Amino acid sequence: MSAGQDWTTRTAAELADALAAGEVTSVELTQAHLDRIAAVDGSAIEGVHAFLHVDAEGALAAARASDERRAAGSPATFLDGVPIAVKDVLTTEGMPTTCGSRILEGWVPPYDATVVARLRAAGLPILGKTNMDEFAMGSSTEHSAYGPTRNPWDLERVPGGSGGGSAAAVAAYEAPLALGTDTGGSIRQPGAVTGTVGVKPTYGGVSRYGLVAMANSLDQVGPVTRTVLDAALLHELVGGHDPRDSTSVDQPLPDLVGAARKGATGDLSGLRVGVVTELQGEGYQAGVQARFTESLDLLVAAGAEVVEVSCPQFVHALAAYYVLMPSEASSNLAKFDAMRYGLRVLPEGVPDPSAEEVMRATRDAGFGDEVKRRIILGTYALSSGYYDAYYGQAQKVRTLISRDFEAAFAQVDVLVSPTSPTTAFRLGEKLDDPLAMYLNDLATIPANLAGVPGISVPAGLAEEDGLPVGFQVLAPALADDRLYRVGAALEAALHARWGGPLTPPELPAGLDRREGASA
Amino acid sequence: MSAATTTLVPFEDVLATYDPALGLEVHVELNSATKMFCGCPTEFGADPNTQVCPTCLGLPGAMPAVNRKAVESAIRIGLALNCEIAEWCRFARKNYFYPDMPKNFQTSQYDEPIAFEGWMDVTVPTEDGEVETYRVEIERAHMEEDTGKSLHVGTSGRIHGADYSLVDYNRAGIPLIEIVTKPIVGAGARAPEVAKAYVAQLRDLIVALGVSDARMDQGSIRADVNLSLAPKGSGVLGTRTETKNVNSLRSVERAVRHEMQRHAAILGGGGSILQETRHWHEDTGVTTSGREKSDAEDYRYFPEPDLVPVAPSREWVEELRGTLPENPTQRRARLQAEWGYSDLEMRDTVGAGALTLVEETIAAGTSPAAARKWWLSELARRANDAGVELPALGVTPTQVAAVQALVEGGSINDKLARQVFDGLIAGEGTPEEVVEKRGLAIVSDEGALSEAVDDAIAANPDVAAKIRDGKVAAAGALIGAVMKQMRGQADAGRVRELILEKLGS
């Protein structure tokens, strides 16, 4: 193992401590991760393929600036100098942002998303942009127009989605930290199937300004890390009110890092934990269920009281989600019309095409099948005469799901379930069966509909396939600190049992990395 | 089928058979310093695409944030129109594709307008010198954002047949308030006038509120005119057409009249009215078919998820109610009393759209009589000749007051003042500068004047003799001769004095 690889396996908190102690520079850390990317990320053809764009030059420049600040005795933040990867759905000034779509190929935004601006201000070098299902539509990252990301635990399998790139990059030690976005589970489900920690904060807890929206009322930006403490550190750094996002909550975040540290002591006495009846049993893989039950026992051992809680409306969550999300998406994606930026395709055989004909040809060529499927669904659901039956009805279901959460949180402090019903499936396995693909998000969607926060913590490997399983914790809106307390306690108990964090198998290195190479 | 081939029915004949129903949708561009959902400036006339940002360009990822000042203006307009103000309302997305709309949806309000259920009393003068009042009911006033501006380059100037099109997004996102009336029925022959009077009064109200530049010629107020005809006495509403962007008060009246005559022609010929958008042509005074509305665009409205509901507190609403200007009726009564105008003079002033101009001229130091004289006799005629609204003529109340001050100071007379107005309209500078440049000042050089009087006496010995005989009235002929020689730049009173002096009368 090279010295570089050594740094890449550390947690962000450890790296920050090492920087503070002068054991390493940000340039060394950043270079170590760039080397790791060069070795294992490969391309659409082979390797992990977590990155769509690597910005070595920009990252190293930021690292040098960080080292200068530290040398002057004035680091910007605790994480100053720790590199990070950013999902390609967040705008980055001067760095391509494609959302995994052909229609944005080559687009370089003139502005930073608020969370990206906060990363830069905090001194974190941005390694690059991570792969994702096109416009965050999918649960496997196979819907990326630039080829799939592969799961570092088994390169024949998907890393989950839509944020498979961020999760795989963190799992494969290509980045200690990453940002993802979660509309129906796109942070938590990839976290579960890659053995990483993923947090969807309370809706409004982190600014969405600069997040290219799939479904504005459901989207949230959140951390993807290897430990619960790292997630809390990153969450505190990017979270908090932003006047550019009207839906952002105008009040201070709870003490998330404090909650994570407190949880890590392993004491959960007095905590009431509710197991959601509707989010287990049929459809859940046996090995997933077994790891989930084992984690529950650990929570009890830590002093928590575990009860079963029913949320009867959750069974309608998937259906409501697949009306609301495409409705909003169909409108959001209308702006991609070839008039101002991105791809422009001229229709073949039309000598003097009108703006409308250019729009049609571009959208036909630039959007993938899943995107088109959702635009059609959403357009239909919003059409006059169907609105009440679909969009209106789905909004009612959404209200009922929120009431289920309210009732449940009147009885317990947190709710828990497996994050995903199964472990990582094989590439291509569900690509032709959209409904089977949608079922991956069964347990994660209710939180998005109600705006409550959720975390997925690695809970071990399933017996039958040796692949990671995620344990989901949900808390009431604005009580994100509970996720970190419970998550850190569970993590501490599991690490004690395993003798440390789970480590994926060695990856083939020395791959040919071709920027933008497609499958 | 086209308007050009429809023979219009005489206006009187329309009324014999049909009852017209009007509906007006007026868009008011607010004069807030920044746009509806971002911090970009709103100034008119900047270079194309210089007042834009990720939000108003609709760039991926950008988000809107509501301009509180625009909400305040919307509430004040609503209150001034006697509307209810919503306790809670949302923005919605109106989805349709068009290149000048950056997001391909317009952020607007749909079924939850900020203001609703109001009214405005519109007064129209009658032939016998009385005033008739129509109550126009307001259905709603809602907030929305403007689109960009397309420029179709090519011989046609319209989208069809253009070689290419350019879009200026400076206007995209400028706050608009759309004020929609309920159907206005019962106006009969007065329908065109009521339409015009409503827009004029609404404009005055907007000006008094100070929420918009209210310039129809610059598009800061734009009117869409809906019209339908129903069989006389039937009490139903017929199929309407919507005539877009009627951009002067005069055109509002003409467009209503034209559509009444056109509808009657089609209905009388056994045809039926197509529900459609129509374009008004200022030059020819006709409307032509725009896009059909019947194969209806489905705008797929749904609540804008990037914005939180607007929930103005009752305290704020009452605070804003306290900032409203007096209503137009009260204001007119007050001004008439202050100025000592007769009813007829007051009506003429209002009718010419000169009330505020006269008020500001008086405030600048001119007597009420002189202010009325210049605005109503001189400037109103010029505006009419030029086919523009009085405020758009290019002469300001301050300038009128300055011209009158020059008259009263004896530097010019009324006749010369008219030439000063020529200069002002031509943009030659301040009244003083125009007088200077055009050499209009009255000659007060006694030597030159005396010489001219002597010349006139010498040239008209018979007239001079009559005056010597005591026929003072004959002096007029000599005065005229002197004034002619002085090219009008003399004080006629002084000329008269000199003549009588020299002829010893």
Side-chain angles (χ1 to χ4, degrees):
Chain A
M1 189 177 276
S2 71
Q5 175 124 358
D6 191 37
W7 288 117
T8 61
T9 57
R10 310 278 191 95
T11 70
E14 287 165 359
L15 295 178
D17 284 337
L19 284 165
E23 294 164 21
V24 68
T25 65
S26 176
V27 168
E28 287 167 337
L29 284 187
T30 303
Q31 189 59 57
H33 285 96
L34 290 169
D35 291 345
R36 174 73 178 168
I37 293 168
V40 304
D41 203 55
S43 66
I45 320 284
E46 57 178 351
V48 179
H49 194 227
F51 284 86
L52 290 178
H53 177 79
V54 176
D55 182 22
E57 202 178 310
L60 288 170
R64 276 191 295 276
S66 169
D67 288 335
E68 281 164 25
R69 276 191 300 277
R70 201 171 287 277
S74 54
T77 57
F78 177 65
L79 290 177
D80 193 340
V82 178
I84 188 167
V86 174
K87 189 179 181 183
D88 205 29
V89 74
L90 295 161
T91 60
T92 41
E93 186 177 346
M95 208 188 295
T97 299
T98 68
C99 301
S101 181
R102 286 281 170 219
I103 211 157
L104 271 178
E105 193 163 11
W107 184 57
V108 179
Y111 77 107
D112 274 336
T114 295
V115 290
V116 171
R118 287 182 181 178
L119 292 182
R120 293 198 208 265
L124 283 76
I126 296 172
L127 296 166
K129 305 297 289 291
T130 58
N131 200 6
M132 54 186 282
D133 285 298
E134 184 176 4
F135 288 109
M137 297 179 178
S139 305
S140 69
T141 316
E142 292 168 290
H143 293 301
S144 168
Y146 303 97
T149 296
R150 295 176 194 82
N151 194 324
W153 286 83
D154 178 350
L155 294 175
E156 298 296 311
R157 292 183 186 258
V158 303
S162 65
S166 283
V170 169
Y173 305 115
E174 296 176 73
L177 300 167
L179 283 181
T181 61
D182 189 313
T183 306
S186 287
I187 290 175
R188 291 163 289 160
Q189 182 259 5
V193 303
T194 59
T196 54
V197 175
V199 178
K200 183 204 94 75
T202 296
Y203 183 77
V206 181
S207 170
R208 290 187 294 114
Y209 188 81
L211 156 58
V212 182
M214 166 159 72
N216 325 57
S217 74
L218 302 160
D219 297 339
Q220 253 312 271
V221 180
V224 178
T225 60
R226 287 192 296 271
T227 69
V228 174
L229 176 62
D230 282 0
L233 288 165
L234 181 54
H235 187 161
E236 283 196 0
L237 199 145
V238 296
H241 183 243
D242 175 15
R244 288 178 185 274
D245 174 357
S246 306
T247 65
S248 96
V249 177
D250 192 4
Q251 66 182 67
L253 291 171
D255 179 6
L256 308 176
V257 173
R261 292 195 195 283
K262 188 177 164 202
T265 64
D267 179 12
L268 292 180
S269 48
L271 184 87
R272 290 167 304 162
V273 174
V275 178
V276 183
T277 311
E278 287 75 13
L279 300 183
Q280 53 181 325
E282 199 192 334
Y284 288 78
Q285 195 178 317
V288 169
Q289 196 71 52
R291 291 281 90 89
F292 175 68
T293 308
E294 181 184 276
S295 291
L296 278 182
D297 293 344
L298 291 175
L299 295 184
V300 172
E305 180 196 340
V306 175
V307 297
E308 185 136 326
V309 177
S310 175
C311 294
Q313 302 298 336
F314 281 18
V315 298
H316 303 301
L318 192 73
Y321 177 80
Y322 275 95
V323 172
L324 297 173
M325 174 272 296
S327 294
E328 293 182 22
S330 69
S331 170
N332 290 328
L333 296 179
K335 63 167 67 79
F336 300 101
D337 63 2
M339 294 295 115
R340 292 165 300 279
Y341 46 76
L343 186 71
R344 176 176 288 175
V345 174
L346 300 179
E348 267 178 60
V350 181
D352 204 4
S354 67
E356 197 178 309
E357 285 162 338
V358 173
M359 285 183 191
R360 198 181 299 138
T362 302
R363 290 167 66 81
D364 186 31
F367 287 139
D369 286 348
E370 182 61 24
V371 173
K372 287 177 185 164
R373 185 152 41 231
R374 296 194 194 190
I375 290 175
I376 292 167
L377 274 173
T379 303
Y380 183 81
L382 290 174
S383 297
S384 87
Y386 298 99
Y387 181 90
D388 289 341
Y390 292 101
Y391 187 87
Q393 200 68 9
Q395 285 290 22
K396 287 179 195 159
V397 170
R398 188 173 191 172
T399 303
L400 294 176
I401 285 167
S402 292
R403 286 190 194 151
D404 269 5
F405 270 115
E406 281 165 32
F409 287 129
Q411 303 169 56
V412 296
D413 300 307
V414 293
L415 293 170
V416 297
S417 76
T419 309
S420 178
T422 67
T423 55
F425 45 91
R426 290 180 189 284
L427 286 160
E429 192 180 321
K430 299 188 180 178
L431 206 47
D432 297 326
D433 187 351
L435 280 180
M437 189 75 92
Y438 298 168
L439 285 170
N440 281 288
D441 297 330
L442 208 55
T444 45
I445 282 172
N448 298 85
L449 289 172
V452 305
I455 190 172
S456 178
V457 180
L461 306 178
E463 296 275 345
E464 56 270 39
D465 53 22
L467 291 168
V469 170
F471 183 90
Q472 177 176 239
V473 184
L474 304 171
L478 306 176
D480 302 52
D481 51 336
R482 293 187 200 171
L483 306 180
Y484 290 102
R485 183 180 169 212
V486 178
L490 177 60
E491 181 184 65
L494 286 166
H495 284 197
R497 170 168 295 194
W498 303 329
L502 294 177
T503 310
E506 280 291 326
L507 289 167
L511 300 176
D512 180 15
R513 181 164 171 77
R514 281 168 291 178
E515 183 86 13
S518 56
Chain B
M1 178 56 229
S2 78
T5 59
T6 306
T7 309
L8 299 182
V9 172
F11 190 68
E12 292 68 28
D13 296 356
V14 176
L15 296 158
T17 326
Y18 301 104
D19 290 329
L22 282 169
L24 289 142
E25 293 173 18
V26 176
H27 287 87
V28 178
E29 209 175 79
L30 297 181
N31 60 3
S32 59
T34 56
K35 292 185 178 180
M36 187 75 226
F37 300 116
C38 64
C40 287
T42 56
E43 224 167 287
F44 184 80
D47 284 343
N49 297 312
T50 55
Q51 296 177 346
V52 292
C53 73
T55 295
C56 60
L57 279 178
L59 293 189
M63 293 179 70
V66 174
N67 179 342
R68 184 180 159 96
K69 186 76 192 169
V71 176
E72 179 184 301
S73 296
I75 293 173
R76 292 181 71 231
I77 290 172
L79 291 172
L81 291 170
N82 306 293
C83 287
E84 304 284 321
I85 304 301
E87 295 193 9
W88 190 91
C89 64
R90 286 179 293 186
F91 284 93
R93 291 187 183 179
K94 180 181 184 180
N95 295 286
Y96 64 100
F97 282 84
Y98 204 78
D100 65 15
M101 206 165 49
K103 297 165 291 182
N104 285 321
F105 62 79
Q106 182 188 29
T107 309
S108 178
Q109 290 195 290
Y110 178 48
D111 49 359
E112 299 170 7
I114 181 91
F116 51 94
E117 298 289 331
W119 50 266
M120 181 163 96
D121 280 338
V122 171
T123 52
V124 184
T126 58
E127 279 167 27
D128 55 11
E130 294 300 308
V131 168
E132 222 172 316
T133 300
Y134 289 88
R135 174 153 295 192
V136 172
E137 291 188 68
I138 307 294
E139 184 177 297
R140 56 189 283 153
H142 73 245
M143 302 177 277
E144 61 185 34
E145 58 177 341
D146 212 341
T147 61
K149 220 178 202 167
S150 299
L151 177 68
H152 304 296
V153 180
T155 45
S156 70
R158 302 194 85 104
I159 191 161
H160 295 292
D163 295 330
Y164 60 94
S165 297
L166 299 170
V167 188
D168 177 6
Y169 292 104
N170 284 352
R171 201 181 67 180
I174 287 188
L176 293 179
I177 306 298
E178 181 175 342
I179 300 158
V180 183
T181 68
K182 291 186 178 168
I184 305 166
V185 293
R190 317 299 303 271
E193 292 164 79
V194 169
K196 177 186 172 183
Y198 166 73
V199 178
Q201 250 176 263
L202 183 59
R203 187 191 60 183
D204 288 349
L205 184 70
I206 299 296
V207 168
L209 286 165
V211 294
S212 168
D213 299 341
R215 294 279 301 266
M216 289 191 88
D217 56 323
Q218 286 185 357
S220 53
I221 289 194
R222 311 197 279 272
D224 300 342
V225 178
N226 291 310
L227 183 103
S228 64
L229 294 183
K232 201 169 179 62
S234 67
V236 300
L237 290 175
T239 303
R240 68 186 158 86
T241 53
E242 182 180 0
T243 304
K244 286 274 186 197
N245 290 329
V246 188
N247 288 335
S248 74
L249 293 176
R250 192 162 152 266
S251 297
V252 170
E253 185 170 0
R254 289 171 72 206
V256 171
R257 190 175 286 271
H258 172 79
E259 279 297 281
M260 285 172 68
Q261 293 175 276
R262 195 183 65 83
H263 280 218
I266 293 168
L267 295 170
S272 56
I273 301 297
L274 192 63
Q275 185 176 331
E276 62 175 356
T277 300
R278 297 189 66 85
H279 295 298
W280 169 249
H281 300 273
E282 182 78 47
D283 47 352
T284 49
V286 301
T287 63
T288 56
S289 179
R291 61 199 151 102
E292 282 181 30
K293 264 210 166 166
S294 52
D295 67 334
E297 274 166 272
D298 179 351
Y299 293 122
R300 306 189 309 282
Y301 282 100
F302 72 102
E304 169 54 75
D306 273 342
L307 291 171
V308 291
V310 174
S313 74
R314 295 300 97 179
E315 292 72 30
W316 189 34
V317 171
E318 288 317 305
E319 192 187 311
L320 293 176
R321 197 188 298 277
T323 69
L324 295 184
E326 65 188 326
N327 77 42
T329 317
Q330 289 170 338
R331 173 169 174 240
R332 260 175 245 170
R334 175 177 61 81
L335 291 177
Q336 188 177 354
E338 279 176 23
W339 299 343
Y341 283 8
S342 70
D343 288 352
L344 184 65
E345 288 169 342
M346 198 63 192
R347 261 208 308 281
D348 288 348
T349 307
V350 172
L355 192 66
T356 301
L357 297 168
V358 168
E359 186 184 18
E360 289 171 3
T361 307
I362 293 169
T366 303
S367 73
R372 187 171 54 78
K373 176 181 73 183
W374 291 126
W375 283 110
L376 266 65
S377 61
E378 187 61 28
L379 297 171
R381 180 181 56 75
R382 289 165 185 260
N384 196 46
D385 290 349
V388 299
E389 302 298 330
L390 203 42
L393 188 61
V395 179
T396 68
T398 323
Q399 289 172 335
V400 173
V403 169
Q404 178 59 23
L406 290 174
V407 172
E408 285 169 17
S411 344
I412 55 170
N413 55 28
D414 281 10
K415 201 171 163 191
L416 290 168
R418 294 192 178 94
Q419 294 185 47
V420 177
F421 286 126
D422 291 340
L424 291 173
I425 290 167
E428 293 169 16
T430 66
E432 291 79 3
E433 285 165 0
V434 173
V435 168
E436 175 71 33
K437 282 182 199 158
R438 294 199 171 199
L440 297 177
I442 285 171
V443 176
S444 49
D445 175 351
E446 282 280 323
L449 204 54
S450 179
E451 215 171 283
V453 170
D454 290 342
D455 290 353
I457 291 170
N460 301 281
D462 45 339
V463 179
K466 280 183 191 168
I467 297 169
R468 280 199 193 88
D469 292 346
K471 289 182 182 160
V472 180
L478 289 185
I479 296 169
V482 173
M483 293 302 281
K484 194 176 172 189
Q485 190 176 338
M486 299 299 292
R487 286 182 308 169
Q489 289 167 255
D491 178 347
R494 181 65 193 138
V495 172
R496 182 185 173 85
E497 277 173 27
L498 279 175
I499 292 169
L500 298 184
E501 234 169 70
K502 286 179 194 276
L503 297 178
S505 283

